[in-house]
Amino acid sequence: FPIDITFKSTNPFGWPQIVLSVYGPDFFGHDVVRGYGAVHVPFTPGRHRRTIAMFVPESTSRLQQFTSWLTGRRPEFTDPKVVAQGEGREVTRVRSQGFVTVSFNIM
């Protein structure tokens, strides 16, 4: 999807990121999260391709996994900042879920 954004900064710390949340239907037709990922927006002019590793949060016990599968309510992040910052994510159990490739055309 084309996105037109203009940024101006004197400090590259915390440079803007794109956070992806991918959803899709499960076996029962419920809309569930398929993956989360984030990538920093390049700041040099030109065409850039970035491959984003996607991951999904997992339940901590077998009973929670079975219950979430049965009800169709799987673990999700409520705040997208968790994906972008990574702070506090070290205690979250996640599973790798593939890759998404994004193209940037920076002027």
Side-chain angles (χ1 to χ4, degrees):
F1 301 103
I3 300 172
D4 185 15
I5 302 172
T6 303
F7 293 105
K8 181 178 178 183
S9 176
T10 58
N11 183 359
F13 179 77
W15 187 256
Q17 298 182 49
I18 289 184
V19 176
L20 298 177
S21 300
V22 180
Y23 290 84
D26 66 357
F27 182 74
F28 298 110
H30 298 117
D31 203 24
V32 296
V33 67
R34 293 294 186 185
Y36 293 105
V39 67
H40 287 278
V41 176
F43 57 89
T44 56
R47 184 179 184 105
H48 304 274
R49 288 178 56 115
R50 299 288 186 259
T51 301
I52 305 168
M54 303 299 283
F55 60 90
V56 291
E58 281 197 331
S59 300
T60 55
S61 72
R62 293 279 183 206
L63 179 61
Q64 287 176 336
Q65 288 175 354
F66 177 71
T67 305
S68 66
W69 176 81
L70 191 61
T71 61
R73 303 274 310 161
R74 298 191 181 163
E76 294 184 22
F77 293 126
T78 56
D79 187 8
K81 289 181 183 177
V82 173
V83 178
Q85 293 175 347
E87 188 175 313
R89 238 180 50 207
E90 63 273 1
V91 296
T92 306
R93 182 179 292 185
V94 295
R95 177 174 36 96
S96 179
Q97 193 68 16
F99 298 93
V100 171
T101 302
V102 179
S103 288
F104 295 98
N105 291 313
I106 307 296
M107 294 181 8

